Amino acid sequence: MRHGAGDGRASKGGGGLIAQLRNPPGGRNARTMLLALAVDRTGTGLWASSSVLYLTFVAHLSARQIGVLLGVAGLAGIAGSPLAGRLASRFPVRPLLIGCHLLRLATLGLLLVCTGFDALLPAVAVTYLGDRAAKMLEMLFATRTAGERRAAYQALSRSAANAGYALGAGIAAIGLAMGTRDAYSALILGDALSFAVAAALVWRTHEPRDGGVEVVRSDSAAAGATVGNQPSVRRANPWRDRGYLLFVLLDIPMNIDDSILGVGLPLWLVDRTSAPHALVPAFLVVNTVMVVALQISVSARAEGPRQATRAVLLYGIVLCAGCAAVAAATPGGTWVAAAVLIAAALLVTLAELMRSVSSWELAVLLAPRDARAAYLGVAGMSQSIQKSAGPPLLTGVVMAAGPAGWLALGTAVAGLAAVQRAACVRRLRIPAPPLPAHPGPAETGRPAPATRRP
């Protein structure tokens, strides 16, 4: 089994979180990239926790302007994944990722000198585009470096990213408590510094080679014309691969757990229950702790086509249970509602743990090997589209319908999960589980029949 570039000596199961971070799939290459990712996400935590307040109190933008700015930035982010995938199919991943870090370093630095809406709009939009492109390139790097153990690497990367994000949010809380212009500027500089450090760390890695991963070629990729006696090599196009586009389309609503945790649960608690408002930060704490503590063990159960498709179905069931818990919190008293909403946060986070690994694992398995970068770039759009469409869906449709809206959402996601699993099983040609063998004499407890000698 090939584990990609690096020393590849990580054991299959291996030890606790710290031990696996020290010797991840992919060896030194992966270890350096995980450190770069943690530094990057620490900076992201600084900006994400303070961006709205900075734009309000320092840039003096109205709520409407902030909404337009973040909406346009979200649309720009959607283009980041396919753009990065297209570039990665033609150029090495490592310099492209360094370029994304340096691009965000430059655009974020512009925020310190740009104060008007017209100047901030392109700067924030390009920052979001670079952010989504960087995340796609990080996962492509992981796919090539970790090889068949990409699910284990994905688990480690999520643990490192969440730990970095929590650290950044904690540091941001200090700056927000001060509330001065200098404090906000320091937070932006801290985020910019994280990009510089991440770029330097990526520079220390080696370009991963794209090999060793078993994938299923699409029908469009398998078909090729023949010119004379030489076969014509035609690179598969994800935009013409209807089977893969169906997977990506179904994956958009399958990312709704992100908006449920960040938007749905807090607003439902405030508007529809009597639970204390101080409980809202607990949702983030629950999510962060569970991801750091459980992502590796959950990911071990989503490696390979059979387990990944099973995880998709489990995701729909668990998320449906989480939505039902949210609906059940409405008629309860203060502490009953609080307990039910915490249980909902636990269920939605558990669903997220399964989806985060199975989604990427299937995106890799379903893509033809010779066009994997372009295909993964298209698959990466699902998260960006959900981030733009998910919050309006929850606030304008689900929550407006009351508890019935949550039940309908859970049922719909569970149904889509079943459809996606069936489509993936067909495309991957996963055979049905073998029937149990006919029990032998030792299993039935009966003696074997005597053989007649000639």
Side-chain angles (χ1 to χ4, degrees), residues 204-233:
R204 297 180 57 191
T205 65
H206 301 288
E207 180 68 24
R209 290 181 295 173
D210 191 10
V213 181
E214 295 181 4
V215 296
V216 176
R217 296 178 60 85
S218 66
D219 294 338
S220 62
T226 302
V227 180
N229 294 325
Q230 299 297 325
S232 175
V233 179

Side-chain angles (χ1 to χ4, degrees), residues 100-111 123 127 192 195:
C100 285
H101 289 319
L102 296 180
L103 174 66
R104 292 185 291 167
L105 169 63
T107 55
L108 203 65
L110 289 175
L111 298 184
T127 300
F195 297 143

Side-chain angles (χ1 to χ4, degrees), residues 79-440:
S81 292
L83 177 61
R86 188 171 183 83
L87 291 173
S89 65
R90 290 170 167 78
F91 304 101
V93 171
R94 178 172 159 269
L96 288 175
L97 183 54
I98 293 173
C100 285
H101 289 319
L102 296 180
L103 174 66
R104 292 185 291 167
L105 169 63
T107 55
L108 203 65
L110 289 175
L111 298 184
L112 297 174
V113 295
C114 297
T115 55
F117 174 79
D118 293 339
L120 286 170
L121 182 61
V124 175
V126 175
T127 300
Y128 274 61
L129 184 146
D131 180 71
R132 292 306 310 171
K135 288 181 179 178
M136 206 294 297
L137 292 169
E138 286 167 350
M139 293 313 303
L140 184 57
F141 185 99
T143 300
R144 294 177 176 177
T145 299
E148 294 178 2
R149 296 206 56 213
R150 56 189 172 273
Y153 181 95
Q154 165 76 333
L156 291 173
S157 70
R158 279 182 52 78
S159 297
N162 275 266
Y165 189 88
L167 175 61
I171 297 174
I174 301 174
L176 296 178
M178 297 174 62
T180 64
R181 183 187 182 92
D182 289 341
Y184 284 113
S185 298
L187 294 177
I188 292 179
L189 285 173
D191 191 11
L193 179 62
S194 73
F195 297 143
V197 175
L201 288 170
V202 175
W203 182 264
R204 297 180 57 191
T205 65
H206 301 288
E207 180 68 24
R209 290 181 295 173
D210 191 10
V213 181
E214 295 181 4
V215 296
V216 176
R217 296 178 60 85
S218 66
D219 294 338
S220 62
T226 302
V227 180
N229 294 325
Q230 299 297 325
S232 175
V233 179
R234 183 176 61 186
R235 186 178 294 273
N237 186 343
W239 297 106
R240 297 178 180 176
D241 189 335
R242 288 181 293 180
Y244 199 84
L245 290 178
L246 175 63
F247 165 78
V248 176
L249 182 64
L250 292 172
D251 212 42
I252 295 172
M254 299 281 282
N255 281 270
I256 194 66
D257 55 86
D258 179 72
S259 292
I260 291 176
L261 283 168
V263 178
L265 285 181
L267 290 181
W268 190 256
L269 180 149
V270 171
D271 294 340
R272 297 298 188 97
T273 74
S274 58
H277 294 184
L279 191 67
V280 170
F283 299 146
L284 177 61
V285 173
V286 166
N287 180 261
T288 302
V289 171
M290 287 185 66
V291 169
V292 173
L294 301 178
Q295 185 68 79
I296 293 177
S297 60
V298 171
S299 299
R301 294 167 173 80
E303 289 185 340
R306 189 183 298 278
Q307 290 182 304
T309 52
R310 186 186 299 120
V312 170
L313 193 60
L314 289 175
Y315 168 82
I317 295 172
V318 175
L319 190 72
C320 184
C323 290
V326 178
T330 305
T334 299
W335 296 112
V336 172
V340 173
L341 287 175
I342 288 293
L346 289 168
L347 288 169
V348 175
T349 300
L350 182 60
E352 177 197 347
L353 292 172
M354 291 183 282
R355 188 265 309 160
S356 63
V357 176
S358 64
S359 178
W360 189 260
E361 180 78 355
L362 290 172
V364 174
L365 289 169
L366 294 169
R369 176 175 172 179
D370 59 351
R372 188 182 301 142
Y375 271 68
L376 295 182
V378 173
M381 293 176 58
S382 59
Q383 293 184 19
S384 302
I385 295 174
Q386 187 283 140
K387 285 182 180 294
S388 296
L393 172 67
L394 288 175
T395 56
V397 179
V398 175
M399 295 177 62
W406 285 104
L407 295 175
L409 175 65
T411 302
V413 171
L416 291 174
V419 173
Q420 189 185 58
R421 177 187 180 275
C424 291
V425 167
R426 286 195 302 269
R427 182 172 170 115
L428 293 170
R429 299 181 178 90
I430 300 175
L435 295 175
H438 185 73

